[in-house]
Amino acid sequence: MGEGAKFFFKSLFQNKAAFLGLVIIIFVFALALGADFIAPYDASYQDRESFLLPPSWEEGGSSKYLLGTDPIGRDLLSRIIHGSRYSIFIGVSVVSLSLIIGIIGGVIAGYFGGMIDFVIMRLMDILLAFPSLLLALVIASILGPGLVNAAIAITVVQLPHFIRLTRAEVMQHKTKEYYTATKVIGASKIRLMFITLLPNCFSPLIVQGTLNFSNAILDAAALGFLGLGAQPPTPEWGTMLADAREFVLSAWWVVTFPGLAILITVMAINVFGDGLRDILDPKLRKS
Amino acid sequence: MLRIRNLSVYFQTIKGTFAAVNNFDLDLKQGEIVSIVGESGSGKSVCMLALMGLLSKNSIIKYDEISFEGKNILQLKDSQRRSYLGAKMSMIFQEPISSLNPCFRVGDQVAEVFRFHQGDSKKAAQDKTIDLFTQVGIADAKHRYRDYPHQLSGGMNQRVMIAMAIALKPKVLIADEPTTALDVTIQAQILNLLNDIRDKYNMALILITHDMGVVAMMADRVVTLYRGQQVEISDKEQLFSNPKHPYTVDLLASLPEEAKGKRLNSITGVIPPLHEIFTGCIYAPRCKFAVPECQKPIKMKSAGKNHLYRCIR
Amino acid sequence: MFKVISKNLLLMIPTLLGIVIISFSFIRVIPGDPVIALSGERAMTPERYDELMHEFGLDLPLHEQFFSYLGDVVSGDFGKSIATRRPVVEEFFTLFPATVELSLCALFLAIVIGIPVGMVSALKKGKLVDNLLMGVSLIGYSMPIFWWGLLMIVFFSGYLGWLPVSGRISTQFFIEAKTGFLLIDSLLSGEEGAFLSTIRHLTLPGIVLSTIPLVVIARQTRSAMVEILDEDYIRTAYAKGLSKFRVVGIHALRNALIIVITVIGLQIGILLAGAILTESIFSWPGIGKWMVDSIYRRDYPAVQGGLLFISLIVMTINFIVDFTYALINPKLRK
């Protein structure tokens, strides 16, 4: 393990909040991977005897259903555990897609500058002129509702952040000596762009990626809530909340727990992202 | 007028508590210029910031006596202490541009002193400020009043800082490396200005510097500081003609004027870090004359009238 | 400063054109036939189809279609809603005040609470108060606000029964819309209890919508303040003998505000996005809910017009923010 990695993990252990965040993230990933074995019931299993059963510790609750049941007798806990898959899926796919496209676009804009840069940046300006959720909504309505389309819509919305960030980093590093040195020995454009410049721009991109992971989860849940993301009976957390809306005044648990799952996951990622930024961003790193 | 005995300043950090200044003594008479000399990191700014109450919260200040016109200003209530700061005792800093607030007109920043301490009306404070600007050599004072710090040169900004500091005719002006950040041509102008002001108001000037040239030009007395410890206190003439402590000797030898025709002297080595604890002489590791006895605690010795030094030789 | 503004204005032109192109393409890329999408008529004879095709100009070549659309937009014609058969512009301006009222209240809350919270946090950096405030702000920052809205309803409307669940005012009142802002209209109407009812209806959505901007403003104020309190000129201010209140509240705050105002400006887009969710949850009759409803109803002309309108508003506000920034930052003057 290199010096950098050692420093990284040491700092991570010292930042208790970030470390706790990482533990929760790993836990949610484990839930998503092992949902079939961990969840007590299948996500679509219906107990026709027990509609809207409160959590087990409440009066009228049953020990069979820890967090209670939903309006058609499905176990809330099992649905939340299965739901972690969709949030993780959205987060991973949106961030990796927008990272890949964003890096390529950003490196090209930053490296070539001039007209290419101008066109790419104006395109990004156009995307940024729309409130993000509205744009995602409209794209989702064009593509039709569904989880994959939601992922595409959110990727488009988040793309400008990655492109702008990569471009800014590339332009900054283009002024450094090591770049000039590599250029002078006659390295190819592709090499200059992706092997010389790019690795030096990774730190802020990783931080941005982490923070956008949580945004993606929030946006996907919001789309689900508005009926344009995952469709019922998918146990996606936002979709579950949309289903539960009419019981908001009569059965608090169907509204509370899926949201709590979103909050905890998003918070864990944000704390971890903040910690990562403190460790990786040399501008903020205290000597 | 100002008397300091045994001032020590400690900083608490994650790595432990360090002494930045040890047992600092100072006597200041009206109208004199005392220079505090030392390399960067020697604690010369720290003891003056401690006196002004401007150190960060992680500092601990200990002393036997601090008295300014018979009062211990560090033990006054906050509101009373503030009535001294900027009025009877004021300070100017190394970086004039960053020491002025970028969001306010320079004139208003000076006028604020009149308004805050004396309750002057806006108009009165403005007139006094413009008058003051002219005194410190700012041409076209009326228009400069309305400028922002970034629109003025470093030298101009330092003149503004000086105007701000002398606005209420303080008894003591502390100048922390006032010319270090300025062009050489401007440096002499600013030093002359400080000298004129001292003569005019008969105020005492504490001049913090690392530049022996500045000391030669300005000081009446000199305090040499090495890593938080006073190593020599003396009148200027005696110090230059008969320096006692090897550190002072080395400092003087590194002046270009002293090296006519010879190679310019430089002191080898660096100041030892603050967490290293010394029982004896702190300069020993870099000293040409170091002997085993240097490891024992060393008291200040007298070398004549008004001349103290800390060395076994 | 003039240079900055004119450069920004010039850069807006390609962006504006891009926005119009996107909204023009929108109706042509949605699934299904644009004639059906624009007319909302499902079953029609081929004659009627051709008639509509001609009416919408869809029989022209694409570039002519675009220029005629551009002409319409410039002259203020943003199309006609299928659901109401009214011009989108008209719809928009009836509903817009409701959104503005809600957003302004939320922004007001966010600023009035966010800036002091950030300042206190910065002054007490590393202390318990700071950790507590930043911990709470992290929760707010991570909050799915639609869920937050539901929780508020569960607690304040369901459990405590204190506040209404939806709408802008109790149905017993009939307030004449003079300004469109109910806070003002209800006062003007002189009806007893109308103003109070408006406030009660505004409270929950206002709090929910203010959450994210509040947290962002608090965090940014804190980080700006922390940096500024370390600056040389703050030391100078203390050396002048100024009180802590004056140093922090005037010398530091003025510098922090330059940064925070930009942040506040950037919140406008977030507010409009948040309004979509908040208005849906609280059935608030504003443009956010109208956009969502239009999407549900497949009222594509309304969506198209609304999209264009909202982005124009966001751009205008961004421009104003840039302008204000140049105005209040002495370094950018002259």
Side-chain angles (χ1 to χ4, degrees), chain A residues 241 259, chain C residues 140 143-154 156 204 207-212 281-282:
Chain A
L241 281 173
Chain C
M143 189 69 88
I145 66 164
F146 50 97
W147 179 61
W148 178 223
L150 291 180
L151 282 192
M152 297 289 263
I153 293 175
V154 167
F156 287 105
L204 285 186
I207 292 175
V208 169
L209 187 55
S210 76
T211 306
I212 301 281
I281 299 164
F282 292 98

Side-chain angles (χ1 to χ4, degrees), chain A residues 122 126 129-130 133-134 138 142 218 221-222 225-226 241 245 248-249 255-256 259-260 262-263 266-267 270-271 274, chain C residues 11 14 18-19 22 26 31 138 141-142 144 146-147 150 154 158 219 276-277 280-281 291 295-296 307 311 314:
Chain A
R122 294 295 77 75
I126 293 166
F130 299 96
L133 184 66
L134 179 65
V138 169
I142 294 172
L218 279 178
F225 180 76
L226 290 173
L241 281 173
R245 262 185 84 168
V248 67
L249 294 176
V255 184
T256 308
L260 205 58
I262 304 176
L263 176 64
V266 170
M267 228 167 100
N270 282 343
V271 176
D274 280 352
Chain C
L11 280 180
I19 289 169
I22 286 192
F26 170 75
L138 188 81
Y141 192 67
S142 312
F146 50 97
W147 179 61
L150 291 180
V154 167
R219 282 164 68 116
I276 295 170
L277 290 166
S280 298
I281 299 164
M291 281 299 279
I295 290 175
Y296 289 157
L307 194 64
S311 59
V314 172

Side-chain angles (χ1 to χ4, degrees), chain C residues 6-287:
Chain C
S6 47
K7 187 184 157 220
N8 282 358
L9 265 178
L10 277 177
L11 280 180
M12 272 172 85
I13 295 171
T15 315
L16 276 173
L17 207 62
I19 289 169
V20 178
I21 292 174
I22 286 192
S23 99
F24 169 77
S25 328
F26 170 75
I27 215 85
R28 285 157 184 85
V29 296
I30 47 169
D33 194 304
V35 174
I36 297 172
L38 280 172
S39 67
E41 293 174 33
R42 304 243 151 238
M44 59 179 97
T45 59
E47 291 79 37
R48 173 74 181 143
Y49 184 91
D50 290 339
E51 190 189 314
L52 283 170
M53 187 101 165
H54 185 71
E55 190 189 322
F56 295 131
L58 289 168
D59 49 352
L60 298 169
L62 204 60
H63 64 273
E64 274 179 41
Q65 288 183 34
F66 177 71
F67 285 115
S68 107
Y69 178 69
L70 190 64
D72 286 350
V73 169
V74 171
S75 64
D77 177 6
F78 283 53
K80 235 183 201 157
S81 157
I82 294 169
T84 57
R85 299 271 155 212
R86 285 182 3 167
V88 171
V89 179
E90 237 174 70
E91 291 264 292
F92 201 86
F93 279 118
T94 350
L95 299 168
F96 196 46
T99 301
V100 173
E101 187 171 63
L102 177 60
S103 304
L104 283 183
C105 285
L107 195 60
F108 176 75
L109 267 183
I111 293 171
V112 168
I113 302 173
I115 292 182
V117 163
M119 285 177 68
V120 169
S121 227
L123 286 173
K124 302 280 175 195
K125 188 187 160 207
K127 301 256 174 67
L128 185 70
V129 186
D130 176 33
N131 289 336
L132 220 63
L133 286 175
M134 285 304 109
V136 172
S137 89
L138 188 81
I139 298 178
Y141 192 67
S142 312
M143 189 69 88
I145 66 164
F146 50 97
W147 179 61
W148 178 223
L150 291 180
L151 282 192
M152 297 289 263
I153 293 175
V154 167
F155 191 71
F156 287 105
S157 309
Y159 183 71
L160 292 174
W162 285 357
L163 293 166
V165 179
S166 67
R168 291 177 78 186
I169 192 164
S170 172
T171 45
Q172 73 192 74
F173 298 104
F174 294 96
I175 306 293
E176 190 196 343
K178 283 181 183 137
T179 60
F181 299 104
L182 259 185
L183 280 175
I184 299 169
D185 288 345
S186 65
L187 269 181
L188 289 178
S189 76
E191 271 197 69
E192 207 181 320
F195 183 66
L196 189 70
S197 172
T198 313
I199 296 255
R200 280 163 47 85
H201 280 78
L202 197 54
T203 307
L204 285 186
I207 292 175
V208 169
L209 187 55
S210 76
T211 306
I212 301 281
L214 194 161
V215 167
V216 175
I217 289 174
R219 282 164 68 116
Q220 295 286 348
T221 307
R222 178 183 180 277
S223 69
M225 266 302 207
V226 164
E227 214 165 281
I228 287 164
L229 288 175
D230 253 359
E231 295 277 355
D232 287 350
Y233 55 80
I234 295 302
R235 189 180 58 190
T236 309
Y238 279 118
K240 271 197 231 178
L242 303 183
S243 61
K244 188 167 188 181
F245 182 79
R246 202 175 159 80
V247 174
V248 175
I250 294 181
H251 282 256
L253 186 62
R254 175 85 77 99
N255 284 279
L257 279 185
I258 291 182
I259 302 167
V260 173
I261 283 182
T262 320
V263 175
I264 291 173
L266 293 175
Q267 297 311 302
I268 311 285
I270 296 180
L271 273 175
L272 285 174
I276 295 170
L277 290 166
T278 313
E279 290 180 3
S280 298
I281 299 164
F282 292 98
S283 306
W284 189 267
I287 47 164

Side-chain angles (χ1 to χ4, degrees), chain A residues 60-139:
Chain A
S62 155
S63 58
K64 277 160 71 188
Y65 306 108
L66 186 63
L67 298 181
T69 59
D70 74 356
I72 51 173
R74 293 174 297 196
D75 178 38
L76 218 50
L77 177 65
S78 306
R79 286 180 66 75
I80 289 174
I81 293 176
H82 281 280
S84 62
R85 289 184 167 179
Y86 302 97
S87 289
I88 297 290
F89 164 77
I90 283 277
V92 170
S93 52
V94 166
V95 170
S96 34
L97 261 178
S98 42
L99 262 178
I100 294 169
I101 305 174
I103 283 175
I104 296 175
V107 168
I108 289 175
Y111 179 83
F112 289 106
M115 203 56 209
I116 299 178
D117 179 40
F118 184 82
V119 169
I120 293 182
M121 291 325 282
R122 294 295 77 75
L123 279 176
M124 294 307 113
D125 277 355
I126 293 166
L127 287 182
L128 285 172
F130 299 96
S132 60
L133 184 66
L134 179 65
L135 186 59
L137 261 179
V138 169
I139 297 173

Side-chain angles (χ1 to χ4, degrees), chain B residues 256-309:
Chain B
E257 291 87 346
E258 299 291 314
K260 280 185 198 104
K262 291 179 277 179
R263 251 190 85 163
L264 190 60
N265 182 61
S266 64
I267 307 176
T268 48
V270 290
I271 296 191
L274 287 175
H275 56 78
E276 239 174 85
I277 292 169
F278 287 82
T279 47
C281 177
I282 302 176
Y283 193 56
R286 294 167 80 182
C287 181
K288 287 181 275 209
F289 311 104
V291 287
E293 272 90 286
C294 291
Q295 303 305 322
K296 290 181 192 148
I298 298 159
K299 286 238 161 65
M300 282 287 213
K301 281 203 300 202
S302 174
K305 192 174 170 259
N306 291 336
H307 193 170
L308 295 168
Y309 70 104

Side-chain angles (χ1 to χ4, degrees), chain A residues 2-12 279-280 285-286:
Chain A
E3 272 301 305
K6 252 185 214 160
F7 170 79
F8 175 77
F9 281 104
K10 205 178 140 216
S11 312
L12 191 59
I279 298 169
L280 291 177
R285 193 192 289 163
K286 296 274 181 303

